[in-house]
Amino acid sequence: MSKQFWIDQFAPADTELQSSFLNLNITDCKSIVEEIGFSCANGVSYDSAENRVFGFDDIVVKFYRPGRWSKEAIEEEFVFLKDLQDHGVSFVRPIGEVGTWKRLNYIVYERVARPYVDDRSILDEESVKRMVHTVAQIHKVGAKREASHRPFFNPKDMGEGCFEVIQRAGFLPRSQYKRYEDVISELVRKVASFGDIPIQRIHGDTYSGNVLWKGNHPIFMDLDDFQVGPVAIDVKLLSFPWRLDSLSEEMDRRERRVIQNEMVLKFYREVNDFPKEWEKLFPLLSVYRDIQFDAWFSARWTEPGFAKNYEDDDITQESWWHENLEGLEDLLNR
């Protein structure tokens, strides 16, 4: 993937298409739902900062933000979903094929039957084990096929492309440009020092908020950030934001993360190899993701209703960028 790929990731669609997407509602799904033979009853809209997602009695319809992914990239997501289903991995199940409605691409999913819990903040050890084993199974399946239209792990292209997106948005103070470029250069240098890092299809966003729980049985969802990258990206994300039930709420957050990360690694290695050397990638992969987040945040900030969902952040303030860069520099120095 080139620098331009990352610039295009965050570019807005044409005005008419963007307006159609932002104004999607439950009624718009009616023809789609009825065409595949399901009821439109009890429609709800789910919160999603990037896409538009609507639920009905038996199904969920996910519309993709126009311009971010090509239809070929979304079809590769659908193939990955079917691969996971065919191998018995606990993941939400797609129905039919990738569809298009008024130039907007969508996928229909089976709705997970209630009761379930959609954001467990406290996990027992058995639940952690099942969650981690599920991700290890996702990786086993992911390694069986390639994906040519999804992002490939390349810190240089990603960093340069995202930095251009950040500059164009105009929120990063010019006085901080050199500092941000230095972060990207150091990330590229340090990742290169590892030599060839194995890459494959991975989930890309395995934090616990993307898990539905039926008892202590996890069901993963959301392949929107699926990419071709090191499995360490997914493994790193597994250790937060949940808290292990045997750890005190008052425990230092970083200390807790260390303990939970060790547990995640232990359970992952019960299923797949994970060389000790790869653990040194974790802080670098945090920087890799954070740069993408900064580009996404910058590109979406002026979208109607977006900023109000992030009241603790204000990227129009120089202090926000100063603190953000301090965090990136700290990660690079670990």
Side-chain angles (χ1 to χ4, degrees):
M1 295 295 166
S2 65
K3 168 185 172 179
Q4 189 62 44
F5 172 88
W6 290 99
I7 295 171
D8 293 343
Q9 273 268 294
F10 303 106
D14 67 71
T15 303
E16 181 182 351
L17 188 58
Q18 184 77 350
S19 177
S20 295
F21 170 74
L22 293 175
N23 291 296
L24 278 168
N25 57 57
I26 291 169
T27 303
D28 293 325
C29 300
K30 184 176 180 181
S31 61
I32 296 170
V33 175
E34 290 179 343
E35 184 177 334
I36 58 178
F38 288 93
S39 167
C40 294
N42 301 313
V44 296
S45 176
Y46 294 115
D47 289 338
S48 175
E50 189 66 1
N51 300 302
R52 294 295 178 266
V53 186
F54 304 98
F56 301 91
D57 278 347
D58 302 305
I59 63 172
V60 171
V61 183
K62 174 182 176 182
F63 286 93
Y64 290 78
R65 176 180 290 270
R68 185 181 180 208
W69 300 116
S70 66
K71 188 166 185 181
E72 292 83 2
I74 298 171
E75 287 170 343
E76 287 183 334
E77 178 180 341
F78 190 87
V79 168
F80 199 178
L81 288 163
K82 293 296 290 184
D83 286 347
L84 294 170
Q85 181 178 345
D86 291 345
H87 286 82
V89 179
S90 184
F91 213 100
V92 292
R93 295 171 175 265
I95 298 172
E97 58 188 21
V98 177
T100 304
W101 181 85
K102 295 185 178 180
R103 297 166 59 207
L104 296 171
N105 296 314
Y106 67 86
I107 291 179
V108 178
Y109 296 85
E110 296 177 13
R111 186 169 184 172
V112 176
R114 291 189 180 277
Y116 61 78
V117 178
D118 61 3
D119 193 9
R120 285 178 64 184
S121 58
I122 301 175
L123 299 179
D124 58 88
E125 188 167 337
E126 180 61 25
S127 294
V128 176
K129 180 177 181 177
R130 293 188 181 199
M131 178 176 68
V132 175
H133 281 188
T134 301
V135 170
Q137 291 162 3
I138 290 171
H139 290 164
K140 282 185 178 293
V141 175
K144 294 179 181 294
R145 196 192 300 266
E146 297 181 352
S148 60
H149 295 91
R150 304 299 294 200
F152 274 69
F153 182 70
N154 185 316
K156 184 176 187 296
D157 287 345
M158 181 282 299
E160 291 178 355
C162 287
F163 184 57
E164 185 155 330
V165 171
I166 292 166
Q167 287 177 289
R168 289 181 184 181
F171 299 111
L172 174 67
R174 287 186 174 273
S175 62
Q176 301 299 314
Y177 278 16
K178 177 64 164 56
R179 190 176 174 191
Y180 209 110
E181 288 178 301
D182 288 345
V183 164
I184 294 169
S185 297
E186 185 67 0
L187 170 66
V188 172
R189 186 189 71 79
K190 288 200 167 188
V191 170
S193 71
F194 283 82
D196 290 333
I197 301 170
I199 59 175
Q200 61 161 79
R201 292 187 302 175
I202 60 172
H203 183 289
D205 197 16
T206 53
Y207 87 110
S208 58
N210 277 331
V211 184
L212 302 177
W213 293 91
K214 293 182 77 69
N216 63 357
H217 176 71
I219 303 171
F220 270 83
M221 58 182 179
D222 193 4
L223 278 181
D224 199 55
D225 290 318
F226 134 55
Q227 60 190 275
V228 178
V231 298
I233 289 177
D234 285 351
V235 175
K236 177 190 74 69
L237 289 171
L238 281 169
S239 63
F240 76 100
W242 53 275
R243 174 172 63 84
L244 189 66
D245 62 354
S246 61
L247 300 180
S248 169
E249 191 173 358
E250 283 71 41
M251 177 180 283
D252 177 76
R253 189 174 172 185
R254 184 172 290 190
E255 182 182 353
R256 190 178 81 213
R257 280 285 297 276
V258 169
I259 294 170
Q260 293 179 178
N261 187 60
E262 287 301 317
M263 177 177 288
V264 165
L265 287 166
K266 179 186 73 172
F267 289 142
Y268 188 86
R269 286 172 172 138
E270 291 177 352
V271 181
N272 290 340
D273 290 337
F274 195 91
K276 185 74 175 175
E277 183 72 11
W278 290 0
E279 294 179 38
K280 298 176 184 177
L281 279 169
F282 287 160
L284 302 180
L285 295 175
S286 291
V287 176
Y288 183 80
R289 280 179 53 88
D290 287 349
I291 292 171
Q292 293 173 52
F293 178 84
D294 288 349
W296 173 75
F297 219 38
S298 298
R300 301 287 184 257
W301 189 259
T302 56
E303 191 171 282
F306 182 88
K308 71 179 183 181
N309 294 318
Y310 298 92
E311 293 180 352
D312 293 336
D313 296 281
D314 185 355
I315 66 172
T316 67
Q317 298 297 312
E318 184 170 353
S319 58
W320 187 92
W321 290 99
H322 180 73
E323 291 175 12
N324 185 53
L325 280 161
E326 280 189 341
L328 295 175
E329 290 161 347
D330 176 64
L331 286 166
L332 287 171
N333 290 324
R334 288 186 190 176

mmCIF file of all heavy atoms in Angstrom, residues 183-226:
data_model
loop_
_atom_site.group_PDB
_atom_site.id
_atom_site.type_symbol
_atom_site.label_atom_id
_atom_site.label_comp_id
_atom_site.label_asym_id
_atom_site.label_seq_id
_atom_site.Cartn_x
_atom_site.Cartn_y
_atom_site.Cartn_z
ATOM 1 N N VAL A 183 8.831 11.730 15.119
ATOM 2 C CA VAL A 183 8.176 10.542 15.666
ATOM 3 C C VAL A 183 8.023 9.482 14.578
ATOM 4 O O VAL A 183 8.329 8.299 14.781
ATOM 5 C CB VAL A 183 6.797 10.911 16.259
ATOM 6 C CG1 VAL A 183 5.942 9.653 16.472
ATOM 7 C CG2 VAL A 183 6.961 11.647 17.581
ATOM 8 N N ILE A 184 7.568 9.892 13.414
ATOM 9 C CA ILE A 184 7.378 8.948 12.308
ATOM 10 C C ILE A 184 8.711 8.346 11.878
ATOM 11 O O ILE A 184 8.816 7.119 11.682
ATOM 12 C CB ILE A 184 6.682 9.649 11.120
ATOM 13 C CG1 ILE A 184 5.263 10.059 11.513
ATOM 14 C CG2 ILE A 184 6.664 8.745 9.888
ATOM 15 C CD1 ILE A 184 4.585 10.985 10.526
ATOM 16 N N SER A 185 9.732 9.158 11.752
ATOM 17 C CA SER A 185 11.059 8.665 11.349
ATOM 18 C C SER A 185 11.608 7.651 12.339
ATOM 19 O O SER A 185 12.177 6.625 11.957
ATOM 20 C CB SER A 185 12.037 9.835 11.204
ATOM 21 O OG SER A 185 11.632 10.708 10.183
ATOM 22 N N GLU A 186 11.436 7.946 13.626
ATOM 23 C CA GLU A 186 11.935 7.030 14.649
ATOM 24 C C GLU A 186 11.136 5.727 14.652
ATOM 25 O O GLU A 186 11.697 4.643 14.853
ATOM 26 C CB GLU A 186 11.877 7.706 16.022
ATOM 27 C CG GLU A 186 12.484 6.902 17.166
ATOM 28 C CD GLU A 186 13.997 6.721 17.042
ATOM 29 O OE1 GLU A 186 14.604 7.216 16.073
ATOM 30 O OE2 GLU A 186 14.563 6.055 17.928
ATOM 31 N N LEU A 187 9.835 5.814 14.429
ATOM 32 C CA LEU A 187 9.021 4.601 14.331
ATOM 33 C C LEU A 187 9.516 3.733 13.176
ATOM 34 O O LEU A 187 9.713 2.511 13.341
ATOM 35 C CB LEU A 187 7.551 4.972 14.106
ATOM 36 C CG LEU A 187 6.611 3.805 13.755
ATOM 37 C CD1 LEU A 187 6.493 2.845 14.930
ATOM 38 C CD2 LEU A 187 5.238 4.333 13.338
ATOM 39 N N VAL A 188 9.729 4.327 12.014
ATOM 40 C CA VAL A 188 10.200 3.583 10.845
ATOM 41 C C VAL A 188 11.547 2.927 11.132
ATOM 42 O O VAL A 188 11.770 1.756 10.820
ATOM 43 C CB VAL A 188 10.293 4.512 9.618
ATOM 44 C CG1 VAL A 188 10.972 3.809 8.447
ATOM 45 C CG2 VAL A 188 8.905 5.003 9.214
ATOM 46 N N ARG A 189 12.446 3.679 11.755
ATOM 47 C CA ARG A 189 13.781 3.146 12.047
ATOM 48 C C ARG A 189 13.717 1.973 13.003
ATOM 49 O O ARG A 189 14.361 0.932 12.779
ATOM 50 C CB ARG A 189 14.659 4.257 12.639
ATOM 51 C CG ARG A 189 16.109 3.846 12.847
ATOM 52 C CD ARG A 189 16.879 4.891 13.630
ATOM 53 N NE ARG A 189 16.477 4.950 15.037
ATOM 54 C CZ ARG A 189 16.887 4.093 15.970
ATOM 55 N NH1 ARG A 189 17.685 3.075 15.653
ATOM 56 N NH2 ARG A 189 16.486 4.230 17.224
ATOM 57 N N LYS A 190 12.930 2.112 14.059
ATOM 58 C CA LYS A 190 12.887 1.052 15.071
ATOM 59 C C LYS A 190 12.193 -0.199 14.552
ATOM 60 O O LYS A 190 12.624 -1.325 14.860
ATOM 61 C CB LYS A 190 12.200 1.569 16.339
ATOM 62 C CG LYS A 190 13.043 2.561 17.110
ATOM 63 C CD LYS A 190 12.600 2.688 18.553
ATOM 64 C CE LYS A 190 13.626 3.419 19.386
ATOM 65 N NZ LYS A 190 13.332 3.398 20.822
ATOM 66 N N VAL A 191 11.127 -0.047 13.775
ATOM 67 C CA VAL A 191 10.461 -1.221 13.212
ATOM 68 C C VAL A 191 11.398 -1.926 12.234
ATOM 69 O O VAL A 191 11.481 -3.161 12.208
ATOM 70 C CB VAL A 191 9.137 -0.822 12.521
ATOM 71 C CG1 VAL A 191 8.579 -2.008 11.722
ATOM 72 C CG2 VAL A 191 8.110 -0.364 13.549
ATOM 73 N N ALA A 192 12.150 -1.167 11.434
ATOM 74 C CA ALA A 192 13.078 -1.759 10.469
ATOM 75 C C ALA A 192 14.152 -2.593 11.159
ATOM 76 O O ALA A 192 14.647 -3.580 10.594
ATOM 77 C CB ALA A 192 13.720 -0.662 9.624
ATOM 78 N N SER A 193 14.492 -2.231 12.398
ATOM 79 C CA SER A 193 15.535 -2.963 13.119
ATOM 80 C C SER A 193 15.129 -4.388 13.447
ATOM 81 O O SER A 193 15.981 -5.223 13.776
ATOM 82 C CB SER A 193 15.907 -2.211 14.405
ATOM 83 O OG SER A 193 14.865 -2.299 15.370
ATOM 84 N N PHE A 194 13.835 -4.703 13.352
ATOM 85 C CA PHE A 194 13.360 -6.064 13.613
ATOM 86 C C PHE A 194 13.519 -6.973 12.392
ATOM 87 O O PHE A 194 13.283 -8.175 12.487
ATOM 88 C CB PHE A 194 11.887 -6.043 14.022
ATOM 89 C CG PHE A 194 11.649 -5.619 15.438
ATOM 90 C CD1 PHE A 194 11.619 -4.285 15.781
ATOM 91 C CD2 PHE A 194 11.478 -6.563 16.445
ATOM 92 C CE1 PHE A 194 11.399 -3.880 17.084
ATOM 93 C CE2 PHE A 194 11.271 -6.177 17.761
ATOM 94 C CZ PHE A 194 11.226 -4.828 18.077
ATOM 95 N N GLY A 195 13.903 -6.397 11.255
ATOM 96 C CA GLY A 195 14.005 -7.210 10.042
ATOM 97 C C GLY A 195 12.628 -7.518 9.486
ATOM 98 O O GLY A 195 11.675 -6.748 9.679
ATOM 99 N N ASP A 196 12.527 -8.644 8.808
ATOM 100 C CA ASP A 196 11.242 -9.038 8.215
ATOM 101 C C ASP A 196 10.292 -9.531 9.307
ATOM 102 O O ASP A 196 10.564 -10.534 9.972
ATOM 103 C CB ASP A 196 11.444 -10.142 7.172
ATOM 104 C CG ASP A 196 12.143 -9.636 5.923
ATOM 105 O OD1 ASP A 196 12.017 -8.431 5.641
ATOM 106 O OD2 ASP A 196 12.814 -10.438 5.243
ATOM 107 N N ILE A 197 9.184 -8.816 9.471
ATOM 108 C CA ILE A 197 8.168 -9.208 10.453
ATOM 109 C C ILE A 197 7.046 -9.933 9.711
ATOM 110 O O ILE A 197 6.487 -9.376 8.758
ATOM 111 C CB ILE A 197 7.603 -7.963 11.169
ATOM 112 C CG1 ILE A 197 8.722 -7.200 11.878
ATOM 113 C CG2 ILE A 197 6.510 -8.358 12.159
ATOM 114 C CD1 ILE A 197 8.301 -5.836 12.401
ATOM 115 N N PRO A 198 6.713 -11.160 10.093
ATOM 116 C CA PRO A 198 5.642 -11.882 9.398
ATOM 117 C C PRO A 198 4.322 -11.119 9.466
ATOM 118 O O PRO A 198 3.960 -10.573 10.524
ATOM 119 C CB PRO A 198 5.547 -13.210 10.162
ATOM 120 C CG PRO A 198 6.865 -13.359 10.842
ATOM 121 C CD PRO A 198 7.309 -11.962 11.165
ATOM 122 N N ILE A 199 3.626 -11.047 8.351
ATOM 123 C CA ILE A 199 2.325 -10.384 8.313
ATOM 124 C C ILE A 199 1.292 -11.316 7.684
ATOM 125 O O ILE A 199 1.629 -12.200 6.891
ATOM 126 C CB ILE A 199 2.365 -9.035 7.558
ATOM 127 C CG1 ILE A 199 2.834 -9.228 6.118
ATOM 128 C CG2 ILE A 199 3.245 -8.043 8.293
ATOM 129 C CD1 ILE A 199 2.773 -7.959 5.289
ATOM 130 N N GLN A 200 0.037 -11.121 8.057
ATOM 131 C CA GLN A 200 -1.067 -11.942 7.566
ATOM 132 C C GLN A 200 -2.372 -11.188 7.814
ATOM 133 O O GLN A 200 -2.374 -10.084 8.350
ATOM 134 C CB GLN A 200 -1.089 -13.273 8.317
ATOM 135 C CG GLN A 200 -1.306 -13.102 9.831
ATOM 136 C CD GLN A 200 -1.767 -14.357 10.532
ATOM 137 O OE1 GLN A 200 -0.956 -15.220 10.812
ATOM 138 N NE2 GLN A 200 -3.059 -14.443 10.796
ATOM 139 N N ARG A 201 -3.500 -11.784 7.426
ATOM 140 C CA ARG A 201 -4.790 -11.178 7.757
ATOM 141 C C ARG A 201 -4.983 -11.196 9.273
ATOM 142 O O ARG A 201 -4.843 -12.244 9.906
ATOM 143 C CB ARG A 201 -5.946 -11.947 7.106
ATOM 144 C CG ARG A 201 -6.029 -11.867 5.603
ATOM 145 C CD ARG A 201 -7.302 -12.531 5.070
ATOM 146 N NE ARG A 201 -7.412 -13.934 5.461
ATOM 147 C CZ ARG A 201 -8.474 -14.705 5.193
ATOM 148 N NH1 ARG A 201 -9.520 -14.225 4.540
ATOM 149 N NH2 ARG A 201 -8.491 -15.967 5.586
ATOM 150 N N ILE A 202 -5.286 -10.027 9.846
ATOM 151 C CA ILE A 202 -5.572 -9.941 11.279
ATOM 152 C C ILE A 202 -6.853 -9.143 11.475
ATOM 153 O O ILE A 202 -7.331 -8.466 10.563
ATOM 154 C CB ILE A 202 -4.420 -9.276 12.069
ATOM 155 C CG1 ILE A 202 -4.166 -7.839 11.562
ATOM 156 C CG2 ILE A 202 -3.146 -10.111 11.984
ATOM 157 C CD1 ILE A 202 -3.189 -7.040 12.416
ATOM 158 N N HIS A 203 -7.413 -9.204 12.670
ATOM 159 C CA HIS A 203 -8.634 -8.465 12.987
ATOM 160 C C HIS A 203 -8.401 -6.962 12.922
ATOM 161 O O HIS A 203 -9.149 -6.215 12.296
ATOM 162 C CB HIS A 203 -9.132 -8.878 14.383
ATOM 163 C CG HIS A 203 -10.416 -8.257 14.800
ATOM 164 N ND1 HIS A 203 -10.525 -6.923 15.135
ATOM 165 C CD2 HIS A 203 -11.663 -8.780 14.954
ATOM 166 C CE1 HIS A 203 -11.784 -6.651 15.473
ATOM 167 N NE2 HIS A 203 -12.494 -7.760 15.371
ATOM 168 N N GLY A 204 -7.378 -6.494 13.624
ATOM 169 C CA GLY A 204 -7.010 -5.086 13.569
ATOM 170 C C GLY A 204 -7.559 -4.215 14.679
ATOM 171 O O GLY A 204 -7.101 -3.084 14.873
ATOM 172 N N ASP A 205 -8.549 -4.726 15.444
ATOM 173 C CA ASP A 205 -9.147 -3.905 16.518
ATOM 174 C C ASP A 205 -9.774 -4.813 17.564
ATOM 175 O O ASP A 205 -10.983 -4.773 17.809
ATOM 176 C CB ASP A 205 -10.192 -2.964 15.923
ATOM 177 C CG ASP A 205 -10.560 -1.822 16.873
ATOM 178 O OD1 ASP A 205 -9.802 -1.588 17.833
ATOM 179 O OD2 ASP A 205 -11.595 -1.173 16.650
ATOM 180 N N THR A 206 -8.931 -5.611 18.218
ATOM 181 C CA THR A 206 -9.419 -6.666 19.111
ATOM 182 C C THR A 206 -9.655 -6.225 20.552
ATOM 183 O O THR A 206 -9.763 -7.080 21.436
ATOM 184 C CB THR A 206 -8.427 -7.848 19.130
ATOM 185 O OG1 THR A 206 -7.119 -7.336 19.444
ATOM 186 C CG2 THR A 206 -8.386 -8.564 17.797
ATOM 187 N N TYR A 207 -9.727 -4.930 20.801
ATOM 188 C CA TYR A 207 -9.980 -4.521 22.188
ATOM 189 C C TYR A 207 -11.344 -5.070 22.641
ATOM 190 O O TYR A 207 -12.207 -5.404 21.814
ATOM 191 C CB TYR A 207 -9.888 -3.003 22.323
ATOM 192 C CG TYR A 207 -11.154 -2.244 22.044
ATOM 193 C CD1 TYR A 207 -11.846 -1.619 23.077
ATOM 194 C CD2 TYR A 207 -11.685 -2.146 20.751
ATOM 195 C CE1 TYR A 207 -13.018 -0.915 22.834
ATOM 196 C CE2 TYR A 207 -12.841 -1.437 20.496
ATOM 197 C CZ TYR A 207 -13.509 -0.831 21.546
ATOM 198 O OH TYR A 207 -14.673 -0.141 21.300
ATOM 199 N N SER A 208 -11.538 -5.178 23.940
ATOM 200 C CA SER A 208 -12.690 -5.915 24.472
ATOM 201 C C SER A 208 -14.033 -5.287 24.136
ATOM 202 O O SER A 208 -15.074 -5.931 24.266
ATOM 203 C CB SER A 208 -12.562 -6.084 25.995
ATOM 204 O OG SER A 208 -12.451 -4.827 26.641
ATOM 205 N N GLY A 209 -14.061 -4.034 23.678
ATOM 206 C CA GLY A 209 -15.314 -3.420 23.269
ATOM 207 C C GLY A 209 -15.891 -4.023 22.006
ATOM 208 O O GLY A 209 -17.062 -3.783 21.677
ATOM 209 N N ASN A 210 -15.102 -4.818 21.293
ATOM 210 C CA ASN A 210 -15.579 -5.489 20.086
ATOM 211 C C ASN A 210 -15.949 -6.952 20.354
ATOM 212 O O ASN A 210 -15.879 -7.802 19.456
ATOM 213 C CB ASN A 210 -14.533 -5.412 18.967
ATOM 214 C CG ASN A 210 -14.611 -4.106 18.212
ATOM 215 O OD1 ASN A 210 -15.675 -3.498 18.112
ATOM 216 N ND2 ASN A 210 -13.480 -3.662 17.678
ATOM 217 N N VAL A 211 -16.349 -7.210 21.602
ATOM 218 C CA VAL A 211 -16.754 -8.564 21.989
ATOM 219 C C VAL A 211 -18.144 -8.519 22.618
ATOM 220 O O VAL A 211 -18.415 -7.686 23.494
ATOM 221 C CB VAL A 211 -15.758 -9.182 23.010
ATOM 222 C CG1 VAL A 211 -16.151 -10.621 23.313
ATOM 223 C CG2 VAL A 211 -14.332 -9.117 22.481
ATOM 224 N N LEU A 212 -19.023 -9.392 22.157
ATOM 225 C CA LEU A 212 -20.300 -9.635 22.828
ATOM 226 C C LEU A 212 -20.132 -10.880 23.688
ATOM 227 O O LEU A 212 -19.446 -11.830 23.298
ATOM 228 C CB LEU A 212 -21.418 -9.865 21.803
ATOM 229 C CG LEU A 212 -21.659 -8.739 20.792
ATOM 230 C CD1 LEU A 212 -22.742 -9.162 19.800
ATOM 231 C CD2 LEU A 212 -22.053 -7.458 21.492
ATOM 232 N N TRP A 213 -20.760 -10.891 24.855
ATOM 233 C CA TRP A 213 -20.599 -12.007 25.789
ATOM 234 C C TRP A 213 -21.946 -12.667 26.070
ATOM 235 O O TRP A 213 -22.901 -11.998 26.454
ATOM 236 C CB TRP A 213 -20.008 -11.528 27.108
ATOM 237 C CG TRP A 213 -18.600 -11.035 26.985
ATOM 238 C CD1 TRP A 213 -18.183 -9.770 26.737
ATOM 239 C CD2 TRP A 213 -17.412 -11.837 27.114
ATOM 240 N NE1 TRP A 213 -16.816 -9.713 26.703
ATOM 241 C CE2 TRP A 213 -16.316 -10.970 26.929
ATOM 242 C CE3 TRP A 213 -17.175 -13.195 27.367
ATOM 243 C CZ2 TRP A 213 -14.993 -11.412 26.994
ATOM 244 C CZ3 TRP A 213 -15.865 -13.630 27.428
ATOM 245 C CH2 TRP A 213 -14.795 -12.757 27.240
ATOM 246 N N LYS A 214 -21.974 -13.976 25.859
ATOM 247 C CA LYS A 214 -23.106 -14.788 26.308
ATOM 248 C C LYS A 214 -22.562 -15.670 27.423
ATOM 249 O O LYS A 214 -21.885 -16.662 27.162
ATOM 250 C CB LYS A 214 -23.684 -15.612 25.157
ATOM 251 C CG LYS A 214 -24.337 -14.737 24.082
ATOM 252 C CD LYS A 214 -24.949 -15.550 22.968
ATOM 253 C CE LYS A 214 -26.274 -16.187 23.368
ATOM 254 N NZ LYS A 214 -27.351 -15.179 23.549
ATOM 255 N N GLY A 215 -22.818 -15.257 28.670
ATOM 256 C CA GLY A 215 -22.138 -15.892 29.790
ATOM 257 C C GLY A 215 -20.663 -15.539 29.695
ATOM 258 O O GLY A 215 -20.304 -14.375 29.543
ATOM 259 N N ASN A 216 -19.782 -16.549 29.768
ATOM 260 C CA ASN A 216 -18.356 -16.264 29.572
ATOM 261 C C ASN A 216 -17.886 -16.739 28.195
ATOM 262 O O ASN A 216 -16.711 -17.029 27.982
ATOM 263 C CB ASN A 216 -17.501 -16.883 30.688
ATOM 264 C CG ASN A 216 -17.575 -18.401 30.712
ATOM 265 O OD1 ASN A 216 -18.309 -19.013 29.937
ATOM 266 N ND2 ASN A 216 -16.812 -19.010 31.608
ATOM 267 N N HIS A 217 -18.827 -16.786 27.253
ATOM 268 C CA HIS A 217 -18.511 -17.161 25.874
ATOM 269 C C HIS A 217 -18.426 -15.896 25.011
ATOM 270 O O HIS A 217 -19.412 -15.184 24.855
ATOM 271 C CB HIS A 217 -19.587 -18.099 25.311
ATOM 272 C CG HIS A 217 -19.373 -18.441 23.866
ATOM 273 N ND1 HIS A 217 -18.354 -19.263 23.444
ATOM 274 C CD2 HIS A 217 -20.031 -18.051 22.740
ATOM 275 C CE1 HIS A 217 -18.402 -19.371 22.125
ATOM 276 N NE2 HIS A 217 -19.407 -18.644 21.673
ATOM 277 N N PRO A 218 -17.240 -15.597 24.447
ATOM 278 C CA PRO A 218 -17.080 -14.367 23.663
ATOM 279 C C PRO A 218 -17.492 -14.566 22.203
ATOM 280 O O PRO A 218 -17.229 -15.608 21.596
ATOM 281 C CB PRO A 218 -15.582 -14.090 23.761
ATOM 282 C CG PRO A 218 -14.965 -15.460 23.868
ATOM 283 C CD PRO A 218 -15.965 -16.304 24.635
ATOM 284 N N ILE A 219 -18.131 -13.550 21.639
ATOM 285 C CA ILE A 219 -18.438 -13.518 20.208
ATOM 286 C C ILE A 219 -17.828 -12.226 19.670
ATOM 287 O O ILE A 219 -18.262 -11.128 20.028
ATOM 288 C CB ILE A 219 -19.954 -13.536 19.946
ATOM 289 C CG1 ILE A 219 -20.596 -14.761 20.594
ATOM 290 C CG2 ILE A 219 -20.230 -13.518 18.435
ATOM 291 C CD1 ILE A 219 -22.125 -14.745 20.556
ATOM 292 N N PHE A 220 -16.823 -12.349 18.823
ATOM 293 C CA PHE A 220 -16.165 -11.166 18.287
ATOM 294 C C PHE A 220 -16.972 -10.567 17.141
ATOM 295 O O PHE A 220 -17.775 -11.247 16.496
ATOM 296 C CB PHE A 220 -14.752 -11.507 17.805
ATOM 297 C CG PHE A 220 -13.700 -11.352 18.873
ATOM 298 C CD1 PHE A 220 -13.489 -12.370 19.785
ATOM 299 C CD2 PHE A 220 -12.948 -10.193 18.967
ATOM 300 C CE1 PHE A 220 -12.537 -12.237 20.780
ATOM 301 C CE2 PHE A 220 -11.991 -10.043 19.954
ATOM 302 C CZ PHE A 220 -11.783 -11.065 20.871
ATOM 303 N N MET A 221 -16.738 -9.276 16.896
ATOM 304 C CA MET A 221 -17.402 -8.577 15.802
ATOM 305 C C MET A 221 -16.471 -7.498 15.261
ATOM 306 O O MET A 221 -15.386 -7.277 15.792
ATOM 307 C CB MET A 221 -18.717 -7.945 16.279
ATOM 308 C CG MET A 221 -18.567 -6.964 17.422
ATOM 309 S SD MET A 221 -20.163 -6.308 17.962
ATOM 310 C CE MET A 221 -19.647 -5.235 19.302
ATOM 311 N N ASP A 222 -16.891 -6.868 14.167
ATOM 312 C CA ASP A 222 -16.270 -5.671 13.606
ATOM 313 C C ASP A 222 -14.892 -5.921 12.990
ATOM 314 O O ASP A 222 -13.857 -5.752 13.631
ATOM 315 C CB ASP A 222 -16.168 -4.572 14.671
ATOM 316 C CG ASP A 222 -15.830 -3.225 14.042
ATOM 317 O OD1 ASP A 222 -15.758 -3.140 12.800
ATOM 318 O OD2 ASP A 222 -15.650 -2.248 14.793
ATOM 319 N N LEU A 223 -14.914 -6.274 11.700
ATOM 320 C CA LEU A 223 -13.665 -6.410 10.947
ATOM 321 C C LEU A 223 -13.354 -5.152 10.139
ATOM 322 O O LEU A 223 -12.595 -5.214 9.169
ATOM 323 C CB LEU A 223 -13.752 -7.609 9.990
ATOM 324 C CG LEU A 223 -13.484 -8.998 10.563
ATOM 325 C CD1 LEU A 223 -13.598 -10.055 9.473
ATOM 326 C CD2 LEU A 223 -12.113 -9.073 11.225
ATOM 327 N N ASP A 224 -13.917 -4.038 10.519
ATOM 328 C CA ASP A 224 -13.752 -2.818 9.731
ATOM 329 C C ASP A 224 -12.285 -2.413 9.610
ATOM 330 O O ASP A 224 -11.877 -1.819 8.607
ATOM 331 C CB ASP A 224 -14.562 -1.678 10.348
ATOM 332 C CG ASP A 224 -14.811 -0.556 9.366
ATOM 333 O OD1 ASP A 224 -15.352 -0.837 8.281
ATOM 334 O OD2 ASP A 224 -14.473 0.594 9.673
ATOM 335 N N ASP A 225 -11.470 -2.724 10.619
ATOM 336 C CA ASP A 225 -10.048 -2.369 10.588
ATOM 337 C C ASP A 225 -9.165 -3.549 10.210
ATOM 338 O O ASP A 225 -7.937 -3.493 10.387
ATOM 339 C CB ASP A 225 -9.612 -1.819 11.948
ATOM 340 C CG ASP A 225 -10.212 -0.453 12.231
ATOM 341 O OD1 ASP A 225 -10.252 0.370 11.308
ATOM 342 O OD2 ASP A 225 -10.666 -0.218 13.368
ATOM 343 N N PHE A 226 -9.767 -4.604 9.667
ATOM 344 C CA PHE A 226 -8.988 -5.765 9.260
ATOM 345 C C PHE A 226 -7.913 -5.348 8.260
ATOM 346 O O PHE A 226 -8.130 -4.557 7.366
ATOM 347 C CB PHE A 226 -9.955 -6.844 8.734
ATOM 348 C CG PHE A 226 -9.595 -7.536 7.455
ATOM 349 C CD1 PHE A 226 -8.385 -8.177 7.280
ATOM 350 C CD2 PHE A 226 -10.530 -7.599 6.423
ATOM 351 C CE1 PHE A 226 -8.085 -8.835 6.096
ATOM 352 C CE2 PHE A 226 -10.253 -8.266 5.250
ATOM 353 C CZ PHE A 226 -9.020 -8.873 5.075
#
